[in-house]
Amino acid sequence: MEYLSTNKIAIVDLTNSKVSDQELDKELVKEKIGGAGITTALYEEYQKEDPVILGTGLLTGTLVPASALSIITAKSPLTGKVCHAPITLYAGIELKYSGFDYVVIKGNSSKPVYLWIHDGIADLKEANEIWGKDVWESTDFIRELMGDPLIQILGIGKGGESGSDFGQVCINYWASGDRWGFGKLFGQKKLKLVALRGMSLLEIADPEEFVRECKELLSTIKKGSFAGKKGIGELSAALGEDIRKWLEPIVHRHLSCFNTSFPTNTFVFLDEEPKRLKETDKEEPGFLITDLYGLLGFKKLGLSASDTCALLRESAKYGMDAVAVAELSQKAGKKKPDEIKKTLSGLKGALESLGKGKFSPWCPSFNLSTDEWERRQAVAYLFGIHPIFALMSPELSEEKLIELANLGTGLAFTAETLDKVIADILK
Amino acid sequence: MGIKVDPKKCVSCMACEMACGYHRDDGFALLSSCIMVTRGREKRDYSAVVLKEEENLVIARPEGLEVRKLGSGGEADQSKGKEDASAKPLLLREPCDLCSDREDGPLCLQFCPADAISLG
Ligand code: SF4
Ligand code: SF4
């Protein structure tokens, strides 16, 4: 695959500690587009070895607005179905720039390992020194070891290592949209983390037209209903739950995922003056809220914004899905932060908020019907568009994305191709 | 005339960096951008937008602008405090040419979703 691609798939066999790579066949792209279309095909090809597939969208890491997304596809230990979880922030694009469009991780390792993917090379490394460390410590360890603070990490903490159903694959220090227990799967495979870094170059079939279209699309988006708004509080308010007054006193600032107009993430300061502009000398002053439902879950228990965010931080350090922690704490009648913190080890129970489809319920429904929501998610997960922003921006229409895909790759995708791929991944 | 960044509006999305990378390489890459968001202090939520100009390194920090003179070898005057290590590669790159060969002008400005970049 020549354009918008690194043209490489890594095949990582954990059982035999072997890594190989293969070309990304243009015919596969023509047939399955990218993202969830191709991760699903790769999952099916390797399903006997219980694979975890990492994949980029067709347009991930480009100037297409909100092209921030990569995905994890695997069989959820929670639902028993093949599901997809979003990889956002900067980690989604780092996968593509690390030199691989897709990574198949199959089998189980007998000892703790991590996968270091950088500049077109995938290396399996021994992880004895980080197995047992929390998510934050592991991220710090790898970045210090490699001397590069920009390495992006998909990693687990004690939650996933201990086989909790709610173990989450986190992104760097923060919660992710993994609501499928993929952390448990990493733990079973003895895969502590995947570290990503790279400086690839993606060629474009028709660069001028592609970039012109991206520019036009961005200017339409900038006139849309979310223009000028920022942060998780505004997102929540748009969904009918106004938490702005509750959260605002601890907000430090709002942060976007790569090239995404609306910042869906909000950094709060818990141990530092929130309005401080200068760099703090505190090592860990706060937390980046990346998951609205974890936040709302703890708020529902009557907790203050500071206590809520401190629990989100503890959940992320432990590598646990905060939504599950909040829901199961509520069921058990636990409302005090200390009591809730103690539930992190050994958390068990059935979740009402469990996702029922293929795509992570991390992304709100925006009052769409299940079918409409699923289709929109499918489009986002194929092209590599931020799943929440895809729902906020009707301007990122299917027609526009197909047009951009054609300009970018020189291929001839049609509405029929898209319909067929969506039907395939939803079946 | 130069590129100005308002750090209070910036949401650290990296679109300017990718736009500049495209301007340099005609493809998508971050290898040659002369504008960059520092991301090395993630846990502290501290970042700046750094621009390499012909003679200066301009650092738009949340608390204010800092301009450092570049030496004849392209290195920045370090006397005013430590630079984020993630911005170091910038010193080796071509300085901003204001996208002078582009009819529509600076590409970073056109791709900033937060209108944090202006020409002034
Ligand atoms: S004006 Fe052009 S060369 Fe200068 S920083 Fe922006 S994109 Fe790069
Ligand atoms: S494009 Fe604008 S908002 Fe994004 S990082 Fe650059 S200056 Fe900040």
Side-chain angles (χ1 to χ4, degrees):
Chain A
M1 182 62 195
E2 203 176 346
Y3 298 116
L4 301 187
S5 168
T6 64
N7 193 27
K8 273 203 331 193
I9 305 176
I11 315 287
V12 180
D13 183 344
L14 293 175
T15 310
N16 301 313
S17 304
K18 285 206 171 117
V19 181
S20 57
D21 55 61
Q22 61 189 47
E23 278 188 9
L24 174 60
D25 187 354
K26 198 199 250 183
E27 294 307 311
L28 184 65
V29 178
K30 276 187 190 166
E31 194 189 333
K32 304 284 182 188
I33 300 178
I38 293 181
T39 58
T40 302
L42 290 169
Y43 180 86
E44 284 162 3
E45 186 180 343
Y46 292 97
Q47 64 181 316
K48 283 199 193 120
E49 291 157 285
D50 193 21
V52 171
I53 319 286
L54 311 179
T56 62
L58 187 77
L59 301 171
T60 302
T62 64
L63 283 175
V64 174
S67 57
L69 186 72
S70 284
I71 64 175
I72 307 177
T73 299
K75 189 197 263 185
S76 162
L78 271 172
T79 67
K81 289 187 208 158
V82 180
C83 298
H84 314 285
I87 306 172
T88 56
L89 299 168
Y90 309 120
I93 73 154
E94 201 70 50
L95 174 56
K96 202 164 237 182
Y97 286 92
S98 75
F100 294 94
D101 285 22
Y102 298 90
V103 181
V104 176
I105 306 169
K106 59 180 190 162
N108 293 318
S109 173
S110 55
K111 51 184 193 313
V113 288
Y114 70 91
L115 183 59
W116 170 219
I117 302 181
H118 59 108
D119 303 302
I121 300 163
D123 274 336
L124 264 178
K125 303 229 174 210
E126 190 203 273
N128 284 334
E129 272 190 276
I130 40 173
W131 194 260
K133 285 194 194 292
D134 75 27
V135 168
W136 288 40
E137 291 164 343
S138 317
T139 296
D140 285 341
F141 181 92
I142 296 291
R143 287 177 169 180
E144 273 160 34
L145 183 73
M146 310 291 182
D148 186 347
L150 301 188
I151 291 172
Q152 301 297 301
I153 309 255
L154 309 172
I156 62 168
K158 289 184 182 135
E161 286 181 18
S162 64
S164 167
D165 281 345
F166 312 112
Q168 184 173 80
V169 176
C170 296
I171 303 173
N172 301 342
Y173 307 101
W174 323 117
S176 75
D178 169 20
R179 302 268 296 276
W180 304 119
F182 287 163
K184 178 178 182 177
L185 206 52
F186 269 46
Q188 286 168 346
K189 292 182 174 298
K190 290 265 186 317
L191 177 64
K192 177 68 176 172
L193 56 85
V194 180
L196 304 164
R197 186 77 178 116
M199 283 288 184
S200 295
L201 174 106
L202 309 179
E203 310 248 11
I204 314 159
D206 185 346
E208 274 186 28
E209 269 306 292
F210 185 88
V211 168
R212 199 186 56 75
E213 284 289 331
C214 291
K215 229 170 11 182
E216 246 176 44
L217 187 52
L218 177 64
S219 46
T220 331
I221 287 171
K222 279 167 113 177
K223 293 178 202 131
S225 54
F226 282 94
K229 294 186 176 160
K230 287 181 180 177
I232 207 125
E234 290 285 358
L235 176 63
S236 189
L239 296 166
E241 183 150 3
D242 196 345
I243 57 169
R244 286 173 293 188
K245 268 198 191 139
W246 173 77
L247 191 64
E248 185 48 38
I250 59 168
V251 168
H252 182 236
R253 75 177 176 133
H254 307 292
L255 284 141
S256 280
C257 298
F258 168 75
N259 193 13
T260 303
S261 306
F262 183 92
T264 55
N265 314 294
T266 293
F267 208 108
V268 292
F269 270 3
L270 303 171
D271 311 308
E272 179 55 277
E273 163 54 39
K275 303 301 166 218
R276 181 186 173 103
L277 294 176
K278 277 195 171 171
E279 183 178 9
T280 172
D281 49 15
K282 304 236 164 72
E283 276 303 318
E284 298 177 356
F287 188 70
L288 180 67
I289 311 166
T290 51
D291 174 14
L292 176 62
Y293 291 115
L295 183 78
L296 295 180
F298 286 127
K299 181 178 182 291
K300 218 158 118 188
L301 300 176
L303 296 173
S304 68
S306 301
D307 283 344
T308 291
C309 294
L311 281 169
L312 291 177
R313 180 165 65 180
E314 289 306 321
S315 303
K317 284 189 172 184
Y318 206 84
M320 291 285 270
D321 175 7
V323 176
V325 180
E327 188 182 317
L328 296 174
S329 297
Q330 188 183 27
K331 275 194 185 150
K334 295 188 194 310
K335 292 191 171 172
K336 294 203 182 105
D338 278 353
E339 284 178 341
I340 297 169
K341 199 175 151 182
K342 282 189 197 135
T343 67
L344 284 172
S345 84
L347 189 72
K348 282 197 176 65
L351 285 185
E352 270 160 40
S353 58
L354 190 62
K356 295 186 177 55
K358 297 260 180 184
F359 303 105
S360 171
W362 167 81
C363 178
S365 74
F366 287 90
N367 290 327
L368 295 177
S369 70
T370 307
D371 286 353
E372 286 169 327
W373 181 84
E374 273 204 323
R375 182 166 179 103
R376 202 64 189 133
Q377 292 297 281
V379 170
Y381 279 68
L382 286 168
F383 290 107
I385 304 299
H386 193 291
I388 299 178
F389 195 72
L391 295 185
M392 299 168 103
S393 285
E395 299 83 6
L396 284 158
S397 65
E398 291 181 11
E399 297 71 31
K400 234 334 144 216
L401 292 169
I402 292 173
E403 190 188 335
L404 282 162
N406 290 340
L407 287 171
T409 60
L411 300 178
F413 299 108
T414 62
E416 288 71 42
T417 330
L418 183 61
D419 284 344
K420 187 175 174 309
V421 177
I422 292 177
D424 277 355
I425 57 176
L426 289 178
K427 80 174 178 247
Chain B
M1 189 78 118
I3 290 293
K4 300 271 170 291
V5 179
D6 179 350
K8 293 204 179 80
K9 286 189 181 168
C10 174
V11 289
S12 299
C13 73
M14 293 174 68
C16 50
E17 206 172 323
M18 191 59 82
C20 190
Y22 169 78
H23 164 61
R24 299 291 181 186
D25 290 330
D26 281 335
F28 294 122
L30 298 165
L31 275 170
S32 327
S33 330
C34 58
I35 189 165
M36 179 188 254
V37 191
T38 64
R39 295 183 283 132
R41 293 155 191 183
E42 184 173 345
K43 271 197 290 185
R44 293 178 172 180
D45 189 30
Y46 185 80
S47 74
V49 180
V50 187
L51 173 77
K52 186 184 178 188
E53 294 181 333
E54 193 75 51
E55 292 178 352
N56 301 313
L57 197 65
V58 183
I59 309 166
R61 302 182 185 284
E63 69 268 31
L65 204 69
E66 186 188 325
V67 182
R68 289 190 197 162
K69 266 257 157 303
L70 290 171
S72 49
E75 77 284 5
D77 164 18
Q78 294 286 320
S79 61
K80 291 175 190 157
K82 68 177 165 57
E83 186 47 80
D84 189 314
S86 68
K88 283 218 176 102
L90 212 56
L91 297 172
L92 305 170
R93 297 180 187 170
E94 291 294 313
C96 172
D97 61 8
L98 289 172
C99 292
S100 50
D101 60 344
R102 293 188 178 275
E103 261 177 42
D104 300 349
L107 208 57
C108 55
L109 184 156
Q110 293 162 54
F111 273 98
C112 175
D115 293 332
I117 303 182
S118 57
L119 203 54

